[in-house]
Amino acid sequence: MTKYLILYGACALIFFPLDFVWLSTMGKGFYQRELGDLLLPNPNLVIAGLFYLAYLVGVVALVAAPAEGDVLKALAMGALLGFVAYGTYDLTNLSTVQGFTPAVAAVDMAWGTVLTGVSAAGGVWISRFFA
């Protein structure tokens, strides 16, 4: 159990700051320009927090732990998970939400791919110091 908690914390240490910087810089510009009135004036932080907590469980259980200390494996598997997870969200929105743009879907899927891969790889690398 301790191994999973260390991996969770290590992945979170990478994931949260990177996504905060991304959303802080892209949120007011790109996403606002592309999505306009679809965006809330302020994000619901409780719901966002629930997403982050749950998503990192998936990153640890499906990527970081199975990578067994292999940083490159975590990077590749994390990128795949990010592509599939963010793709599910973005492509579903693109097919069902009026005003959701292909540009947002493409940028967000690329970001999810990079973010998840880097977070998983970084988390695996950091966790090596606690083994």
Side-chain angles (χ1 to χ4, degrees), residues 13-105:
L13 193 64
I14 306 293
F15 191 94
F16 292 148
L18 286 180
D19 207 36
F20 176 79
V21 169
W22 174 263
L23 292 173
S24 295
T25 58
M26 297 297 282
K28 297 287 188 225
F30 174 74
Y31 289 111
Q32 183 64 48
R33 182 176 63 251
E34 289 292 317
L35 298 174
D37 291 338
L38 290 177
L39 292 177
L40 294 173
N42 295 300
N44 185 320
L45 297 179
V46 172
I47 293 172
L50 291 173
F51 160 74
Y52 286 125
L53 293 173
Y55 190 68
L56 282 173
V57 168
V59 171
V60 170
L62 300 173
V63 176
E68 298 177 335
D70 185 335
V71 173
L72 291 178
K73 184 176 181 180
L75 178 66
M77 291 172 45
L80 178 61
L81 175 63
F83 179 77
V84 170
Y86 279 68
T88 299
Y89 170 79
D90 288 306
L91 295 176
T92 298
N93 282 344
L94 192 56
S95 71
T96 61
V97 176
Q98 187 173 350
F100 200 87
T101 70
V104 169

